[in-house]
Structures are given as C-alpha cells and as structure tokens.
Amino acid sequence: MTESLAEALPREINRVRAVQDAYKQFRTMPGVIVEPAITLMEASIVEGIAALASGDVVRMLRVHEALKGFEL
C-alpha cells in the first residue's frame, strides 16, 4: 500500500524526534558536540509542522527529504 505524503511527513517528524532525543543523551559526554545537529533537527521539525499546516505540497516534499537525512 502506498503511503501519502500527509501520512509520511508526520511519521518522519516523529522518527527525527526520537533521533533527536538519542542525540541529547550524548550531551554529557566529553568531547562530543551534538548541539548543532540537535538544532538542525529542531528547525526541520518546526518546518515540517509548518509545511503540514500550510498545505504546500512542494514545501512538504522538501522538508520530508530533509528529515530523511537525519540518522542516529
């Protein structure tokens, strides 16, 4: 079954939230710098929510692709 963008984008936002939470656990490790990645993830998550609210399909596609780039 094919998943619609309206279903895939919220799922991807939730996945990146989980990745972001995992990155936050590394904050206390000496020599590990995760704040830039956490900040970029948050910006993409906020953009994803705004894109969903706007209904702009191109904007939704763009942020969906950006979110897929975040990995643990």
Side-chain angles (χ1 to χ4, degrees):
M1 178 179 238
T2 303
E3 185 176 47
S4 74
L5 181 59
E7 296 166 332
L9 183 52
R11 184 179 46 77
E12 197 62 23
I13 289 169
N14 289 331
R15 184 191 70 80
V16 174
R17 276 273 185 231
V19 171
Q20 188 183 48
D21 288 342
Y23 271 59
K24 288 177 182 177
Q25 294 178 5
F26 295 117
R27 284 177 166 160
T28 58
M29 295 179 71
V32 178
I33 301 170
V34 293
E35 290 307 316
I38 291 169
T39 301
L40 288 171
M41 286 181 219
E42 187 62 30
S44 291
I45 289 167
V46 168
E47 174 61 15
I49 294 167
L52 282 167
S54 75
D56 183 338
V57 176
V58 174
R59 186 177 176 189
M60 290 167 65
L61 283 168
R62 187 171 42 244
V63 73
H64 183 260
E65 285 302 310
L67 287 165
K68 288 187 343 186
F70 293 110
E71 296 181 10
L72 186 57

Short mmCIF file of all heavy atoms in Angstrom, two decimals:
data_model
loop_
_atom_site.label_atom_id
_atom_site.label_comp_id
_atom_site.label_asym_id
_atom_site.label_seq_id
_atom_site.Cartn_x
_atom_site.Cartn_y
_atom_site.Cartn_z
N MET A 1 0.85 -1.18 0.00
CA MET A 1 0.00 0.00 0.00
C MET A 1 0.89 1.24 0.00
O MET A 1 1.86 1.34 0.74
CB MET A 1 -0.90 -0.04 1.22
CG MET A 1 -1.80 1.16 1.35
SD MET A 1 -2.86 1.03 2.79
CE MET A 1 -4.42 1.15 1.98
N THR A 2 0.56 2.19 -0.79
CA THR A 2 1.33 3.42 -0.89
C THR A 2 0.90 4.40 0.19
O THR A 2 -0.28 4.62 0.42
CB THR A 2 1.11 4.07 -2.28
OG1 THR A 2 1.46 3.12 -3.28
CG2 THR A 2 1.95 5.30 -2.44
N GLU A 3 1.90 4.98 0.81
CA GLU A 3 1.65 5.95 1.88
C GLU A 3 1.61 7.36 1.29
O GLU A 3 2.46 7.71 0.48
CB GLU A 3 2.78 5.84 2.91
CG GLU A 3 2.59 6.69 4.12
CD GLU A 3 3.70 6.46 5.13
OE1 GLU A 3 4.88 6.44 4.74
OE2 GLU A 3 3.36 6.29 6.29
N SER A 4 0.65 8.15 1.70
CA SER A 4 0.56 9.52 1.21
C SER A 4 1.57 10.40 1.94
O SER A 4 2.05 10.06 3.02
CB SER A 4 -0.85 10.08 1.41
OG SER A 4 -1.07 10.36 2.78
N LEU A 5 1.87 11.53 1.34
CA LEU A 5 2.79 12.50 1.96
C LEU A 5 2.21 13.00 3.28
O LEU A 5 2.94 13.20 4.25
CB LEU A 5 3.04 13.66 1.00
CG LEU A 5 4.00 14.74 1.48
CD1 LEU A 5 5.38 14.15 1.80
CD2 LEU A 5 4.13 15.83 0.43
N ALA A 6 0.90 13.16 3.34
CA ALA A 6 0.24 13.63 4.56
C ALA A 6 0.38 12.61 5.70
O ALA A 6 0.30 12.97 6.87
CB ALA A 6 -1.24 13.91 4.30
N GLU A 7 0.63 11.35 5.36
CA GLU A 7 0.87 10.32 6.38
C GLU A 7 2.37 10.17 6.66
O GLU A 7 2.77 9.96 7.80
CB GLU A 7 0.33 8.97 5.90
CG GLU A 7 -1.16 8.93 5.72
CD GLU A 7 -1.63 7.72 4.95
OE1 GLU A 7 -0.88 7.17 4.11
OE2 GLU A 7 -2.78 7.31 5.19
N ALA A 8 3.18 10.29 5.61
CA ALA A 8 4.62 10.06 5.73
C ALA A 8 5.33 11.17 6.49
O ALA A 8 6.25 10.90 7.26
CB ALA A 8 5.24 9.90 4.35
N LEU A 9 4.93 12.40 6.27
CA LEU A 9 5.63 13.53 6.90
C LEU A 9 5.49 13.50 8.43
O LEU A 9 6.51 13.61 9.13
CB LEU A 9 5.17 14.86 6.30
CG LEU A 9 5.88 16.11 6.83
CD1 LEU A 9 7.40 15.98 6.74
CD2 LEU A 9 5.40 17.34 6.05
N PRO A 10 4.31 13.33 8.99
CA PRO A 10 4.23 13.24 10.45
C PRO A 10 5.01 12.06 11.01
O PRO A 10 5.64 12.16 12.06
CB PRO A 10 2.73 13.08 10.73
CG PRO A 10 2.06 13.65 9.54
CD PRO A 10 2.97 13.36 8.38
N ARG A 11 5.01 10.94 10.29
CA ARG A 11 5.78 9.77 10.73
C ARG A 11 7.27 10.10 10.75
O ARG A 11 7.99 9.75 11.68
CB ARG A 11 5.50 8.59 9.81
CG ARG A 11 6.20 7.31 10.26
CD ARG A 11 5.90 6.12 9.36
NE ARG A 11 6.00 6.38 7.94
CZ ARG A 11 7.15 6.48 7.27
NH1 ARG A 11 8.29 6.37 7.88
NH2 ARG A 11 7.14 6.70 5.97
N GLU A 12 7.74 10.82 9.73
CA GLU A 12 9.14 11.20 9.65
C GLU A 12 9.50 12.22 10.74
O GLU A 12 10.58 12.16 11.33
CB GLU A 12 9.44 11.76 8.26
CG GLU A 12 10.89 11.82 7.92
CD GLU A 12 11.58 10.45 7.89
OE1 GLU A 12 10.91 9.42 7.70
OE2 GLU A 12 12.80 10.42 8.08
N ILE A 13 8.60 13.13 11.03
CA ILE A 13 8.81 14.09 12.12
C ILE A 13 8.98 13.34 13.44
O ILE A 13 9.90 13.63 14.21
CB ILE A 13 7.64 15.11 12.20
CG1 ILE A 13 7.70 16.06 11.01
CG2 ILE A 13 7.67 15.88 13.52
CD1 ILE A 13 6.46 16.94 10.84
N ASN A 14 8.14 12.36 13.69
CA ASN A 14 8.23 11.58 14.92
C ASN A 14 9.52 10.77 14.98
O ASN A 14 10.14 10.64 16.04
CB ASN A 14 7.02 10.66 15.08
CG ASN A 14 5.76 11.42 15.40
OD1 ASN A 14 5.81 12.49 16.00
ND2 ASN A 14 4.63 10.89 14.99
N ARG A 15 9.95 10.24 13.84
CA ARG A 15 11.20 9.49 13.80
C ARG A 15 12.38 10.39 14.15
O ARG A 15 13.25 10.02 14.95
CB ARG A 15 11.41 8.87 12.40
CG ARG A 15 12.65 7.98 12.33
CD ARG A 15 12.99 7.61 10.90
NE ARG A 15 13.47 8.76 10.15
CZ ARG A 15 14.73 9.24 10.22
NH1 ARG A 15 15.62 8.70 11.03
NH2 ARG A 15 15.09 10.28 9.49
N VAL A 16 12.41 11.59 13.59
CA VAL A 16 13.50 12.52 13.85
C VAL A 16 13.45 13.00 15.30
O VAL A 16 14.50 13.22 15.92
CB VAL A 16 13.51 13.69 12.84
CG1 VAL A 16 14.55 14.73 13.20
CG2 VAL A 16 13.78 13.15 11.44
N ARG A 17 12.28 13.14 15.87
CA ARG A 17 12.17 13.48 17.31
C ARG A 17 12.89 12.41 18.15
O ARG A 17 13.60 12.73 19.10
CB ARG A 17 10.71 13.55 17.75
CG ARG A 17 10.06 14.85 17.50
CD ARG A 17 10.31 15.80 18.66
NE ARG A 17 9.57 17.02 18.41
CZ ARG A 17 10.08 18.22 18.47
NH1 ARG A 17 11.33 18.39 18.80
NH2 ARG A 17 9.35 19.27 18.21
N ALA A 18 12.70 11.14 17.77
CA ALA A 18 13.36 10.05 18.50
C ALA A 18 14.88 10.11 18.31
O ALA A 18 15.63 9.90 19.27
CB ALA A 18 12.81 8.70 18.04
N VAL A 19 15.32 10.41 17.11
CA VAL A 19 16.76 10.56 16.84
C VAL A 19 17.30 11.72 17.66
O VAL A 19 18.37 11.62 18.29
CB VAL A 19 17.03 10.77 15.34
CG1 VAL A 19 18.49 11.13 15.09
CG2 VAL A 19 16.65 9.53 14.54
N GLN A 20 16.57 12.81 17.68
CA GLN A 20 16.98 14.00 18.45
C GLN A 20 17.11 13.66 19.94
O GLN A 20 18.08 14.07 20.59
CB GLN A 20 15.96 15.11 18.22
CG GLN A 20 16.35 16.45 18.80
CD GLN A 20 15.26 17.48 18.60
OE1 GLN A 20 14.09 17.22 18.88
NE2 GLN A 20 15.63 18.64 18.10
N ASP A 21 16.17 12.91 20.47
CA ASP A 21 16.23 12.50 21.87
C ASP A 21 17.48 11.65 22.14
O ASP A 21 18.12 11.80 23.18
CB ASP A 21 14.98 11.73 22.28
CG ASP A 21 13.75 12.63 22.39
OD1 ASP A 21 13.91 13.86 22.49
OD2 ASP A 21 12.63 12.08 22.37
N ALA A 22 17.82 10.79 21.20
CA ALA A 22 19.02 9.98 21.35
C ALA A 22 20.27 10.86 21.35
O ALA A 22 21.19 10.64 22.15
CB ALA A 22 19.10 8.94 20.24
N TYR A 23 20.31 11.85 20.47
CA TYR A 23 21.45 12.77 20.43
C TYR A 23 21.59 13.53 21.75
O TYR A 23 22.69 13.80 22.20
CB TYR A 23 21.28 13.77 19.28
CG TYR A 23 21.85 13.33 17.96
CD1 TYR A 23 21.41 12.16 17.35
CD2 TYR A 23 22.81 14.08 17.31
CE1 TYR A 23 21.91 11.76 16.13
CE2 TYR A 23 23.32 13.69 16.09
CZ TYR A 23 22.87 12.53 15.50
OH TYR A 23 23.39 12.14 14.29
N LYS A 24 20.47 13.88 22.35
CA LYS A 24 20.50 14.64 23.60
C LYS A 24 21.19 13.86 24.72
O LYS A 24 21.77 14.46 25.62
CB LYS A 24 19.08 15.04 24.01
CG LYS A 24 18.50 16.13 23.14
CD LYS A 24 17.07 16.45 23.51
CE LYS A 24 16.50 17.52 22.59
NZ LYS A 24 15.09 17.81 22.88
N GLN A 25 21.18 12.55 24.64
CA GLN A 25 21.84 11.73 25.64
C GLN A 25 23.36 11.86 25.57
O GLN A 25 24.06 11.57 26.54
CB GLN A 25 21.44 10.27 25.49
CG GLN A 25 19.98 10.03 25.78
CD GLN A 25 19.58 8.58 25.57
OE1 GLN A 25 20.40 7.73 25.28
NE2 GLN A 25 18.29 8.31 25.70
N PHE A 26 23.88 12.29 24.42
CA PHE A 26 25.32 12.44 24.24
C PHE A 26 25.85 13.78 24.74
O PHE A 26 27.06 14.01 24.73
CB PHE A 26 25.70 12.27 22.76
CG PHE A 26 25.43 10.90 22.23
CD1 PHE A 26 24.51 10.72 21.21
CD2 PHE A 26 26.08 9.79 22.73
CE1 PHE A 26 24.25 9.45 20.70
CE2 PHE A 26 25.83 8.52 22.24
CZ PHE A 26 24.91 8.35 21.21
N ARG A 27 24.97 14.66 25.18
CA ARG A 27 25.39 15.99 25.62
C ARG A 27 26.41 15.95 26.76
O ARG A 27 27.26 16.81 26.86
CB ARG A 27 24.18 16.81 26.09
CG ARG A 27 23.33 17.34 24.99
CD ARG A 27 22.14 18.06 25.58
NE ARG A 27 21.47 18.87 24.59
CZ ARG A 27 20.23 19.30 24.70
NH1 ARG A 27 19.52 19.00 25.77
NH2 ARG A 27 19.69 20.04 23.75
N THR A 28 26.31 14.97 27.62
CA THR A 28 27.17 14.91 28.80
C THR A 28 28.52 14.25 28.53
O THR A 28 29.38 14.25 29.39
CB THR A 28 26.47 14.15 29.94
OG1 THR A 28 26.14 12.83 29.49
CG2 THR A 28 25.20 14.88 30.37
N MET A 29 28.69 13.69 27.35
CA MET A 29 29.95 13.02 27.03
C MET A 29 31.01 14.05 26.66
O MET A 29 30.78 14.91 25.82
CB MET A 29 29.74 12.02 25.89
CG MET A 29 28.82 10.89 26.24
SD MET A 29 28.57 9.75 24.87
CE MET A 29 30.16 8.96 24.83
N PRO A 30 32.18 13.95 27.28
CA PRO A 30 33.24 14.91 26.98
C PRO A 30 33.71 14.78 25.53
O PRO A 30 33.88 13.67 25.02
CB PRO A 30 34.37 14.53 27.95
CG PRO A 30 33.91 13.36 28.73
CD PRO A 30 32.55 12.98 28.29
N GLY A 31 33.88 15.92 24.88
CA GLY A 31 34.39 15.94 23.51
C GLY A 31 33.35 15.64 22.44
O GLY A 31 33.69 15.58 21.26
N VAL A 32 32.12 15.41 22.83
CA VAL A 32 31.06 15.11 21.86
C VAL A 32 30.20 16.36 21.68
O VAL A 32 29.61 16.85 22.64
CB VAL A 32 30.19 13.91 22.31
CG1 VAL A 32 29.07 13.65 21.31
CG2 VAL A 32 31.06 12.67 22.49
N ILE A 33 30.15 16.85 20.47
CA ILE A 33 29.39 18.07 20.18
C ILE A 33 28.16 17.69 19.35
O ILE A 33 28.29 17.30 18.19
CB ILE A 33 30.26 19.09 19.42
CG1 ILE A 33 31.50 19.44 20.26
CG2 ILE A 33 29.46 20.33 19.07
CD1 ILE A 33 32.54 20.23 19.52
N VAL A 34 27.01 17.79 19.98
CA VAL A 34 25.77 17.40 19.30
C VAL A 34 24.79 18.56 19.14
O VAL A 34 23.79 18.43 18.43
CB VAL A 34 25.07 16.24 20.04
CG1 VAL A 34 25.88 14.97 19.96
CG2 VAL A 34 24.75 16.60 21.48
N GLU A 35 25.06 19.67 19.78
CA GLU A 35 24.12 20.80 19.74
C GLU A 35 23.80 21.27 18.32
O GLU A 35 22.63 21.55 18.01
CB GLU A 35 24.60 21.96 20.59
CG GLU A 35 24.54 21.69 22.08
CD GLU A 35 23.18 21.22 22.58
OE1 GLU A 35 22.15 21.79 22.18
OE2 GLU A 35 23.16 20.28 23.37
N PRO A 36 24.79 21.39 17.42
CA PRO A 36 24.43 21.82 16.05
C PRO A 36 23.45 20.86 15.38
O PRO A 36 22.50 21.30 14.73
CB PRO A 36 25.77 21.85 15.32
CG PRO A 36 26.79 22.06 16.39
CD PRO A 36 26.25 21.31 17.58
N ALA A 37 23.66 19.56 15.54
CA ALA A 37 22.76 18.58 14.94
C ALA A 37 21.37 18.65 15.55
O ALA A 37 20.36 18.60 14.83
CB ALA A 37 23.34 17.17 15.09
N ILE A 38 21.31 18.80 16.87
CA ILE A 38 20.02 18.91 17.54
C ILE A 38 19.27 20.15 17.06
O ILE A 38 18.06 20.10 16.82
CB ILE A 38 20.22 18.93 19.08
CG1 ILE A 38 20.70 17.56 19.56
CG2 ILE A 38 18.95 19.34 19.81
CD1 ILE A 38 21.17 17.53 21.00
N THR A 39 19.99 21.24 16.90
CA THR A 39 19.38 22.49 16.43
C THR A 39 18.86 22.35 15.00
O THR A 39 17.75 22.81 14.69
CB THR A 39 20.40 23.64 16.52
OG1 THR A 39 20.82 23.77 17.89
CG2 THR A 39 19.80 24.95 16.05
N LEU A 40 19.63 21.70 14.14
CA LEU A 40 19.19 21.48 12.76
C LEU A 40 17.96 20.59 12.71
O LEU A 40 17.03 20.83 11.92
CB LEU A 40 20.31 20.88 11.92
CG LEU A 40 21.46 21.82 11.59
CD1 LEU A 40 22.61 21.04 10.94
CD2 LEU A 40 21.00 22.93 10.67
N MET A 41 17.94 19.56 13.53
CA MET A 41 16.78 18.68 13.58
C MET A 41 15.55 19.45 14.03
O MET A 41 14.47 19.29 13.43
CB MET A 41 17.03 17.51 14.54
CG MET A 41 17.96 16.48 14.02
SD MET A 41 18.14 15.16 15.22
CE MET A 41 19.89 14.83 15.06
N GLU A 42 15.71 20.28 15.06
CA GLU A 42 14.57 21.05 15.56
C GLU A 42 14.03 21.99 14.50
O GLU A 42 12.81 22.13 14.33
CB GLU A 42 14.96 21.81 16.83
CG GLU A 42 13.79 22.51 17.50
CD GLU A 42 12.71 21.54 17.98
OE1 GLU A 42 13.00 20.38 18.33
OE2 GLU A 42 11.54 21.98 18.02
N ALA A 43 14.93 22.63 13.77
CA ALA A 43 14.50 23.54 12.70
C ALA A 43 13.72 22.78 11.63
O ALA A 43 12.70 23.27 11.12
CB ALA A 43 15.70 24.25 12.09
N SER A 44 14.16 21.59 11.28
CA SER A 44 13.46 20.79 10.27
C SER A 44 12.12 20.30 10.79
O SER A 44 11.14 20.25 10.03
CB SER A 44 14.32 19.61 9.83
OG SER A 44 15.43 20.06 9.10
N ILE A 45 12.07 19.95 12.06
CA ILE A 45 10.79 19.51 12.65
C ILE A 45 9.79 20.66 12.64
O ILE A 45 8.62 20.47 12.25
CB ILE A 45 11.02 18.98 14.08
CG1 ILE A 45 11.77 17.65 14.02
CG2 ILE A 45 9.71 18.85 14.84
CD1 ILE A 45 12.32 17.17 15.35
N VAL A 46 10.23 21.83 13.05
CA VAL A 46 9.35 23.01 13.06
C VAL A 46 8.88 23.32 11.64
O VAL A 46 7.69 23.60 11.42
CB VAL A 46 10.06 24.22 13.70
CG1 VAL A 46 9.30 25.50 13.48
CG2 VAL A 46 10.28 23.97 15.17
N GLU A 47 9.79 23.24 10.67
CA GLU A 47 9.42 23.48 9.28
C GLU A 47 8.43 22.43 8.79
O GLU A 47 7.50 22.73 8.04
CB GLU A 47 10.66 23.51 8.39
CG GLU A 47 10.38 23.62 6.91
CD GLU A 47 9.64 24.87 6.47
OE1 GLU A 47 9.55 25.85 7.24
OE2 GLU A 47 9.11 24.88 5.33
N GLY A 48 8.62 21.19 9.21
CA GLY A 48 7.70 20.12 8.81
C GLY A 48 6.28 20.37 9.33
O GLY A 48 5.31 20.20 8.59
N ILE A 49 6.19 20.79 10.56
CA ILE A 49 4.87 21.10 11.13
C ILE A 49 4.24 22.28 10.40
O ILE A 49 3.04 22.25 10.07
CB ILE A 49 5.00 21.37 12.64
CG1 ILE A 49 5.42 20.08 13.35
CG2 ILE A 49 3.70 21.92 13.22
CD1 ILE A 49 5.88 20.26 14.77
N ALA A 50 5.04 23.31 10.13
CA ALA A 50 4.53 24.48 9.40
C ALA A 50 4.11 24.10 7.98
O ALA A 50 3.09 24.59 7.48
CB ALA A 50 5.58 25.58 9.37
N ALA A 51 4.88 23.23 7.35
CA ALA A 51 4.54 22.80 5.99
C ALA A 51 3.22 22.03 5.97
O ALA A 51 2.39 22.23 5.08
CB ALA A 51 5.67 21.94 5.42
N LEU A 52 3.03 21.17 6.96
CA LEU A 52 1.76 20.45 7.05
C LEU A 52 0.59 21.41 7.23
O LEU A 52 -0.45 21.27 6.58
CB LEU A 52 1.79 19.47 8.22
CG LEU A 52 2.53 18.16 8.00
CD1 LEU A 52 2.75 17.44 9.32
CD2 LEU A 52 1.76 17.29 7.02
N ALA A 53 0.78 22.39 8.08
CA ALA A 53 -0.28 23.37 8.35
C ALA A 53 -0.59 24.21 7.12
O ALA A 53 -1.74 24.59 6.90
CB ALA A 53 0.10 24.26 9.51
N SER A 54 0.43 24.49 6.32
CA SER A 54 0.23 25.34 5.14
C SER A 54 -0.45 24.60 3.99
O SER A 54 -1.07 25.22 3.14
CB SER A 54 1.58 25.90 4.66
OG SER A 54 2.33 24.89 3.99
N GLY A 55 -0.25 23.28 3.96
CA GLY A 55 -0.81 22.51 2.85
C GLY A 55 -0.01 22.64 1.57
O GLY A 55 -0.41 22.13 0.52
N ASP A 56 1.15 23.29 1.62
CA ASP A 56 2.01 23.48 0.46
C ASP A 56 2.76 22.18 0.19
O ASP A 56 3.68 21.81 0.92
CB ASP A 56 2.99 24.63 0.75
CG ASP A 56 3.90 24.96 -0.41
OD1 ASP A 56 4.11 24.10 -1.29
OD2 ASP A 56 4.42 26.09 -0.43
N VAL A 57 2.38 21.49 -0.87
CA VAL A 57 2.93 20.16 -1.16
C VAL A 57 4.42 20.22 -1.46
O VAL A 57 5.18 19.37 -1.00
CB VAL A 57 2.16 19.50 -2.33
CG1 VAL A 57 2.78 18.16 -2.70
CG2 VAL A 57 0.69 19.32 -1.96
N VAL A 58 4.86 21.22 -2.20
CA VAL A 58 6.29 21.35 -2.51
C VAL A 58 7.09 21.55 -1.23
O VAL A 58 8.14 20.93 -1.03
CB VAL A 58 6.54 22.49 -3.51
CG1 VAL A 58 8.01 22.73 -3.73
CG2 VAL A 58 5.83 22.20 -4.82
N ARG A 59 6.60 22.39 -0.37
CA ARG A 59 7.27 22.64 0.92
C ARG A 59 7.30 21.36 1.75
O ARG A 59 8.31 21.04 2.40
CB ARG A 59 6.50 23.75 1.65
CG ARG A 59 7.11 24.24 2.92
CD ARG A 59 6.27 25.38 3.47
NE ARG A 59 6.77 25.85 4.76
CZ ARG A 59 6.13 26.70 5.53
NH1 ARG A 59 4.96 27.22 5.14
NH2 ARG A 59 6.64 27.08 6.69
N MET A 60 6.21 20.61 1.74
CA MET A 60 6.14 19.35 2.47
C MET A 60 7.14 18.33 1.92
O MET A 60 7.82 17.64 2.68
CB MET A 60 4.72 18.79 2.42
CG MET A 60 3.71 19.59 3.22
SD MET A 60 1.99 19.15 2.89
CE MET A 60 1.91 17.47 3.47
N LEU A 61 7.25 18.24 0.60
CA LEU A 61 8.20 17.33 -0.02
C LEU A 61 9.63 17.70 0.34
O LEU A 61 10.45 16.83 0.65
CB LEU A 61 8.04 17.33 -1.54
CG LEU A 61 6.87 16.55 -2.10
CD1 LEU A 61 6.66 16.88 -3.57
CD2 LEU A 61 7.09 15.06 -1.91
N ARG A 62 9.92 18.98 0.28
CA ARG A 62 11.28 19.46 0.58
C ARG A 62 11.67 19.11 2.02
O ARG A 62 12.77 18.59 2.26
CB ARG A 62 11.37 20.96 0.32
CG ARG A 62 12.75 21.52 0.43
CD ARG A 62 12.88 22.96 -0.04
NE ARG A 62 11.79 23.83 0.37
CZ ARG A 62 10.95 24.43 -0.48
NH1 ARG A 62 11.07 24.27 -1.78
NH2 ARG A 62 9.99 25.21 -0.02
N VAL A 63 10.81 19.37 2.96
CA VAL A 63 11.15 19.10 4.37
C VAL A 63 11.15 17.60 4.66
O VAL A 63 11.94 17.11 5.47
CB VAL A 63 10.23 19.89 5.34
CG1 VAL A 63 8.84 19.32 5.39
CG2 VAL A 63 10.86 19.95 6.72
N HIS A 64 10.31 16.86 3.98
CA HIS A 64 10.30 15.39 4.14
C HIS A 64 11.66 14.83 3.76
O HIS A 64 12.23 13.99 4.47
CB HIS A 64 9.17 14.76 3.32
CG HIS A 64 9.05 13.29 3.50
ND1 HIS A 64 9.56 12.40 2.59
CD2 HIS A 64 8.52 12.55 4.50
CE1 HIS A 64 9.33 11.18 3.01
NE2 HIS A 64 8.70 11.24 4.17
N GLU A 65 12.20 15.29 2.64
CA GLU A 65 13.53 14.85 2.20
C GLU A 65 14.60 15.26 3.19
O GLU A 65 15.53 14.50 3.48
CB GLU A 65 13.84 15.38 0.81
CG GLU A 65 13.11 14.67 -0.30
CD GLU A 65 13.40 13.17 -0.33
OE1 GLU A 65 14.59 12.78 -0.30
OE2 GLU A 65 12.45 12.39 -0.37
N ALA A 66 14.50 16.49 3.72
CA ALA A 66 15.49 16.96 4.70
C ALA A 66 15.44 16.09 5.96
O ALA A 66 16.50 15.72 6.50
CB ALA A 66 15.23 18.42 5.04
N LEU A 67 14.26 15.76 6.43
CA LEU A 67 14.12 14.96 7.62
C LEU A 67 14.69 13.55 7.43
O LEU A 67 15.27 12.97 8.34
CB LEU A 67 12.65 14.87 8.04
CG LEU A 67 12.06 16.15 8.64
CD1 LEU A 67 10.53 16.06 8.66
CD2 LEU A 67 12.60 16.40 10.04
N LYS A 68 14.53 12.99 6.24
CA LYS A 68 15.05 11.65 5.97
C LYS A 68 16.57 11.59 6.10
O LYS A 68 17.13 10.51 6.31
CB LYS A 68 14.60 11.17 4.60
CG LYS A 68 13.14 10.83 4.54
CD LYS A 68 12.62 10.21 3.27
CE LYS A 68 13.41 10.28 2.03
NZ LYS A 68 12.71 9.76 0.86
N GLY A 69 17.23 12.73 6.00
CA GLY A 69 18.68 12.76 6.10
C GLY A 69 19.23 12.62 7.50
O GLY A 69 20.43 12.40 7.68
N PHE A 70 18.40 12.75 8.51
CA PHE A 70 18.86 12.64 9.90
C PHE A 70 18.85 11.19 10.35
O PHE A 70 17.83 10.51 10.26
CB PHE A 70 17.99 13.47 10.84
CG PHE A 70 18.10 14.95 10.61
CD1 PHE A 70 17.05 15.66 10.08
CD2 PHE A 70 19.28 15.62 10.92
CE1 PHE A 70 17.13 17.02 9.87
CE2 PHE A 70 19.39 16.99 10.71
CZ PHE A 70 18.32 17.69 10.18
N GLU A 71 20.01 10.73 10.81
CA GLU A 71 20.14 9.35 11.27
C GLU A 71 20.90 9.31 12.58
O GLU A 71 21.63 10.24 12.90
CB GLU A 71 20.86 8.52 10.22
CG GLU A 71 20.12 8.42 8.91
CD GLU A 71 20.85 7.57 7.89
OE1 GLU A 71 21.85 6.92 8.26
OE2 GLU A 71 20.44 7.57 6.74
N LEU A 72 20.75 8.22 13.27
CA LEU A 72 21.46 8.04 14.54
C LEU A 72 22.82 7.47 14.28
O LEU A 72 23.10 6.72 13.45
CB LEU A 72 20.65 7.12 15.45
CG LEU A 72 21.16 6.95 16.86
CD1 LEU A 72 21.27 8.28 17.58
CD2 LEU A 72 20.27 6.02 17.62
#
